Amino acid sequence: MRRIKGRTPRRAEERPAPAAFATPVGERHELGVLGAAVIAAAGGLDPVYLGCEVPADDLVKGVADAEADVLVLGVTGAAPLDAPARELAAVARGLSA
């Protein structure tokens, strides 16, 4: 898990909750989600990059560890969507528990 630094708000009360960025297992194309994290940082948000092809359990743990309010998953149509869909369902179950 890595924080991507951008514009830092002046006061702690201005800082938004972190947003986690990753690709699920089965998705190797990370450039889009990494770019989104960089843009979020440039806009003053607090992105946490969890990585590429991150298993559902690790996504849930990463979101919890980062205390993120948002999880952004990068998925392309370059590969079959069955595996990412299964991972997304597992993440949703883990986050709602």
Side-chain angles (χ1 to χ4, degrees), residues 8-28:
T8 304
R10 292 185 197 118
R11 295 187 306 248
E13 63 270 9
E14 292 179 359
R15 291 189 187 125
F21 292 77
T23 68
V25 168
E27 180 57 66
R28 294 184 177 185

Side-chain angles (χ1 to χ4, degrees), residues 23-29 52-55 74-76 78-84 87:
T23 68
V25 168
E27 180 57 66
R28 294 184 177 185
H29 297 90
C52 181
E53 287 202 274
V54 181
V75 179
T76 66
L81 296 178
D82 297 341
E87 289 294 304

Side-chain angles (χ1 to χ4, degrees), residues 1-6 18-22 30 33-34 36-38 40-41 45-52 54 58-59 61-63 65-66 68:
M1 174 171 48
R2 297 204 166 123
R3 292 203 184 273
I4 297 173
K5 300 296 181 188
F21 292 77
E30 69 179 320
V33 75
L34 184 55
V38 169
L45 299 178
D46 185 16
V48 177
Y49 185 68
L50 301 177
C52 181
V54 181
D58 292 339
L59 287 171
K61 183 179 182 324
V63 168
D65 289 351

